[in-house]
Amino acid sequence: MATQNAPGGTGKPGTARHFKVWRGDESGGELTDYQVQVNEGEVVLDVIHRLQATEAPDLACRWNCKAGKCGSCSMEINGMPRLGCMTRMSTFEENETVTITPLRTFPVIRDLVTDVSYNYEKARETPAFAPPTDLEPGDYRMQQVDVERSQEFRKCIECFLCQNTCHVVRDHEENKVAFSGPRYFIRAAELDMHPLDAKADRKEYAQASQGLGYCNITKCCTEVCPEHIKITDNAIIPMKERVVDRRYDPVVWLGSKIFRRGKQNEAVQGQTPRDPDELGSVHSHAGGSHEPEAEVGAERGVHWGRQVPHPTAPPLDSRGRLAISEFTFDKAAAPSPFGDDVTFPLPAEGLNYSHPDQPQAKD
Amino acid sequence: MTTRTAPPPAGLPGSVRQRAAITAKTLRTDRWWFAPLLTVIGLGAWVTYATVRVFMHDYYWVEDFHYLTPFYSPCVTQACIPEAAHFGRVLPGWWIIPDAALTLPFLLLFRLTCYYYRKAYYRSFWLSPPACAVPDGHKTYSGETRFPLVGQNLHRYAFYAAVIISLINSWDAVLAFHSPKGFGFGLGNLILLGNVVMLWAYTLSCHSCRHIAGGRLKHFSKHPVRYRFWTFISKLNVRHMQLAWITLGTLALTDFYVMALSAGWFNDLRFIN
């Protein structure tokens, strides 16, 4: 144990620090105490890796890049939502107990790993980028000054710390149906401010289907964002103001009547706004365009009747759990997500998709 | 290794996964309650002072130097001192009616619906939430989707009103250079001017103003002038919180200074006349 704990690099020798880590799954769990060696320059994720290598090889934790760019190691450290890889141990006192818990807003799978599928569902519901119909891909031209507001929101690494912190869903589970959360408000703002996005009803959508009105701008999303995106000031408040333009502001309404501004915009965009009543029912598809013709086109090459192999569930260890750590597993790497019995490339006749430009798949 | 397979993934219809059963309401170890506490003390003290002053109906005008406190600007009731009423006296002079009854409600509305103050009082007074990752103090939550809070969307109109009121306050500061002896200039003028400058900075840094000036455009490149306005207001907007507190300070200071001069507690430091 001592050799494993010894610091690998140069610098001051490490000191043993006290940690409490939440261990358990959906049936229950508790904070477990650990003494872990901490070396100079380390971050909380390093400590979790040392725990996995020593006392707790079955501690489950999602991580990937260790550089604050993948958004995997979101957790709550001393109660604050943070990235494990970007929280330096030097920010804590030497004798301070560091408590590490999973994200509270999402269902727990095991230990520090949570099921964040809520966010993916909301992502699927958000209408995708819709360029003008007469523009071919490759012909998109825009000015930097027009697109730079949208670019701020492209910094998002989807760590979902903002989604986790937002009290609208954190403290009120029932709001998850109506509320998409800050990550999808910046998505809505990104597209609404995008110079080449021709979809005219994003404001109505944000208000009616994303639950923009639930936000009471208490700015916790901005506080926890590891990419320092000004979520509230640059996305949520501008979106709220844009909704006010459309729904509550008679001055804007009068202006657009007198100067026919709204009409011009619609002519330029080549689209008419959708009936708000339609919203909410039409945006349940995964990505892509929402135009019926486009969807028919995309599905032309898909042969839906073909028998496809069912996905294989991953193997479990002797205790019926997914093998989280390589140390306790009898294979060199993680099991294949396609099933360990699948080899690539798959035989072409077993595929259920053929490119639309090539001969059609036959039943 | 066993060949058992995992159960079907949860999250499918019919299966509801549970959150981690963490008993502590919050595990934050820092002083998260400190900022809301400061807000409660700060806003509480200011509102108390302002209420007392507004219903005092006295010590708001310095005859010698023509100083008028912003809390009584413009003075529009019958109870106003005629020299202080620059815009006429149109309302009855009951004590329950503030002497600046035509402006104070709009100023109150402007600050109540301000995106910064909303954050401040939702956190500190309404505890929704008191701090990040600290539980909301309420069982249910509908945000600003219903009456009365949907009315926060009126912020823009309050902003239009606040611009007009800032013009009136600026006019008061200009008039104060003209005392009965002709042109005059003292410390009170500096205080009135400083207050007006800060009020303009706060009013223009408003999120609604940022939106109106250019934020609502889709193509900045087609509106270079509005883009410059937007850029300027964006720079101010970053300081909106600081300006919100600074203006509370300058308003109270200006009012206190005028009250002190008017009550004769001390004399104005005069540079000219």
Side-chain angles (χ1 to χ4, degrees):
Chain A
M1 193 71 77
T3 49
Q4 281 170 314
N5 269 348
T10 52
K12 279 200 297 187
T15 50
R17 303 251 202 117
H18 187 213
F19 287 84
K20 280 175 181 284
V21 183
W22 194 86
R23 303 295 309 273
D25 52 29
E26 54 187 319
S27 59
E30 58 181 1
L31 289 170
T32 310
D33 292 83
Y34 296 102
Q35 287 288 126
V36 192
Q37 194 86 357
V38 175
N39 306 317
E40 197 178 351
E42 285 187 334
V43 294
V44 169
L45 187 60
D46 292 322
V47 171
I48 287 168
H49 284 158
R50 181 157 302 118
L51 258 178
Q52 287 178 331
T54 55
E55 278 181 75
D58 60 342
L59 171 63
C61 172
R62 206 182 261 136
W63 67 281
N64 189 25
C65 76
K66 293 178 97 176
K69 288 292 162 203
C70 75
S72 304
C73 59
S74 302
M75 54 183 75
E76 299 193 5
I77 300 166
N78 279 352
M80 262 315 261
R82 289 172 179 282
L83 294 182
C85 68
M86 298 304 281
T87 308
R88 288 177 167 273
M89 284 307 301
S90 59
T91 56
F92 305 107
E93 298 294 327
E94 289 264 325
N95 53 0
E96 191 177 346
T97 300
V98 179
T99 310
I100 305 171
T101 50
L103 300 180
R104 276 203 202 215
T105 306
F106 310 119
V108 68
I109 296 175
R110 209 181 114 195
D111 300 343
L112 302 178
V113 178
T114 51
D115 174 4
V116 293
S117 50
Y118 159 74
N119 303 293
Y120 298 120
E121 282 158 25
K122 294 298 178 187
R124 269 200 299 277
E125 289 169 10
T126 307
F129 173 63
T133 41
D134 54 342
L135 260 193
E136 293 293 324
D139 289 343
Y140 297 173
R141 298 289 179 271
M142 53 197 122
Q143 304 229 13
Q144 176 59 31
V145 66
D146 290 340
V147 81
E148 64 193 359
R149 269 189 303 178
S150 293
Q151 282 173 335
E152 177 187 5
F153 309 129
R154 299 296 295 185
K155 292 194 297 179
C156 176
I157 58 172
E158 301 215 302
C159 60
F160 302 130
L161 288 180
C162 56
Q163 302 282 90
N164 171 59
T165 317
C166 183
H167 70 115
V168 178
V169 284
R170 185 185 175 94
D171 302 328
H172 307 281
E173 176 77 25
E174 68 279 6
N175 286 341
K176 278 188 178 173
V177 179
F179 185 71
S180 290
R183 196 273 167 261
Y184 300 101
F185 295 148
I186 68 169
R187 177 71 177 150
E190 175 200 330
L191 292 171
D192 201 45
M193 294 172 183
H194 196 290
L196 281 185
D197 186 75
K199 203 162 160 46
D201 63 352
R202 296 205 183 273
K203 304 155 192 62
E204 287 86 347
Y205 183 78
Q207 198 261 350
S209 302
Q210 287 192 311
L212 187 66
Y214 281 85
C215 169
N216 69 348
I217 48 167
T218 34
K219 284 200 169 178
C220 284
C221 48
T222 309
E223 249 175 65
V224 298
C225 180
E227 282 291 312
H228 307 291
I229 300 171
K230 298 281 175 284
I231 300 174
T232 319
D233 283 332
N234 287 349
I236 297 181
I237 294 175
M239 280 312 276
K240 280 195 174 230
E241 288 292 322
R242 283 166 183 237
V243 170
V244 173
D245 275 352
R246 299 289 275 235
R247 292 185 67 91
Y248 307 108
D249 190 341
V251 179
V252 170
W253 178 82
L254 201 67
S256 62
K257 284 283 169 206
I258 295 169
F259 301 111
R260 297 176 58 79
R261 240 183 242 141
K263 292 272 185 260
Q264 282 170 8
N265 282 347
E266 278 162 26
V268 168
Q269 289 158 356
Q271 269 197 347
T272 49
R274 273 212 182 93
D275 179 3
D277 294 341
E278 246 182 81
L279 295 168
S281 57
V282 292
H283 296 299
S284 54
H285 313 287
S289 165
H290 292 276
E291 303 309 322
E293 314 86 68
E295 293 199 358
V296 170
E299 289 188 5
R300 204 178 300 132
V302 182
H303 170 32
W304 291 109
R306 191 189 301 277
Q307 188 73 31
V308 286
H310 287 286
T312 325
L316 302 174
D317 66 12
S318 54
R319 289 176 300 164
R321 287 178 153 182
L322 287 168
I324 300 296
S325 169
E326 294 169 19
F327 292 96
T328 57
F329 199 47
D330 61 354
K331 292 196 175 176
S336 162
F338 302 97
D340 282 333
D341 52 346
V342 175
T343 51
F344 291 94
L346 295 169
E349 61 272 13
L351 299 177
N352 73 340
Y353 178 80
S354 62
H355 195 277
D357 292 351
Q358 286 168 356
Q360 292 294 301
K362 297 269 176 347
D363 279 7
Chain B
M1 177 177 160
T2 62
T3 51
R4 279 199 303 149
T5 53
L12 298 172
S15 70
V16 179
R17 284 194 123 142
Q18 297 297 315
R19 297 183 181 198
I22 303 168
T23 43
K25 287 201 159 189
T26 180
L27 289 162
R28 280 185 69 165
T29 51
D30 55 339
R31 291 187 303 162
W32 56 263
W33 44 266
F34 188 64
L37 181 70
L38 275 187
T39 311
V40 168
I41 293 172
L43 289 182
W46 194 88
V47 168
T48 311
Y49 174 82
T51 310
V52 168
R53 278 294 288 145
V54 162
F55 293 104
M56 199 181 266
H57 298 287
D58 206 354
Y59 308 125
Y60 52 85
W61 172 251
V62 183
E63 182 58 46
D64 291 347
F65 313 119
H66 287 186
Y67 295 158
L68 177 65
T69 162
F71 287 7
Y72 287 75
S73 167
C75 211
V76 289
T77 65
Q78 299 289 342
C80 287
I81 299 167
E83 293 77 27
H86 302 144
F87 294 86
R89 299 187 294 170
V90 294
L91 293 180
W94 301 333
W95 73 270
I96 195 75
I97 300 179
D99 288 322
L102 293 184
T103 46
L104 290 187
F106 294 101
L107 284 181
L108 185 68
L109 194 69
F110 184 49
R111 300 219 174 212
L112 268 183
T113 58
C114 162
Y115 286 99
Y116 165 67
Y117 284 108
R118 269 146 84 179
K119 174 200 165 187
Y121 63 74
Y122 282 139
R123 278 199 189 192
S124 52
F125 286 90
W126 195 242
L127 306 180
S128 176
C132 301
V134 176
D136 197 329
H138 302 266
K139 276 230 154 30
T140 59
Y141 175 87
S142 60
E144 299 180 344
T145 56
R146 293 190 207 151
F147 184 82
L149 289 182
V150 74
Q152 303 278 30
N153 289 310
L154 292 173
H155 186 51
R156 180 174 305 185
Y157 305 105
F159 162 72
Y160 293 139
V163 170
I164 297 169
I165 295 165
S166 295
L167 286 172
I168 294 173
N169 287 331
S170 310
W171 182 237
D172 288 336
V174 171
L175 283 184
F177 283 105
H178 185 78
S179 51
K181 293 180 218 158
F183 178 78
F185 178 37
L187 180 60
N189 290 100
L190 283 185
I191 290 177
L192 282 174
L193 265 185
N195 179 47
V196 161
V197 168
M198 283 301 153
L199 283 180
W200 273 114
Y202 170 71
T203 308
L204 290 180
S205 69
C206 162
H207 291 84
S208 287
C209 175
R210 184 179 181 223
H211 174 79
I212 295 161
R216 60 191 302 270
L217 299 173
K218 202 171 178 100
H219 297 93
F220 281 147
S221 56
K222 291 182 187 159
H223 304 87
V225 178
R226 289 183 72 182
Y227 175 59
R228 294 193 69 161
F229 281 146
W230 179 82
T231 313
F232 170 71
I233 290 165
S234 297
K235 281 178 194 157
L236 275 181
N237 180 259
V238 176
R239 307 255 164 266
H240 199 49
M241 177 185 87
Q242 286 88 333
L243 288 167
W245 282 104
I246 287 170
T247 47
L248 288 189
T250 56
L251 280 169
L253 174 75
T254 313
D255 179 73
F256 181 80
Y257 191 81
V258 171
M259 174 170 70
L261 290 187
S262 179
W265 297 343
F266 49 76
N267 290 321
D268 191 23
L269 177 65
R270 299 301 286 178
F271 309 124
I272 301 169
N273 264 334

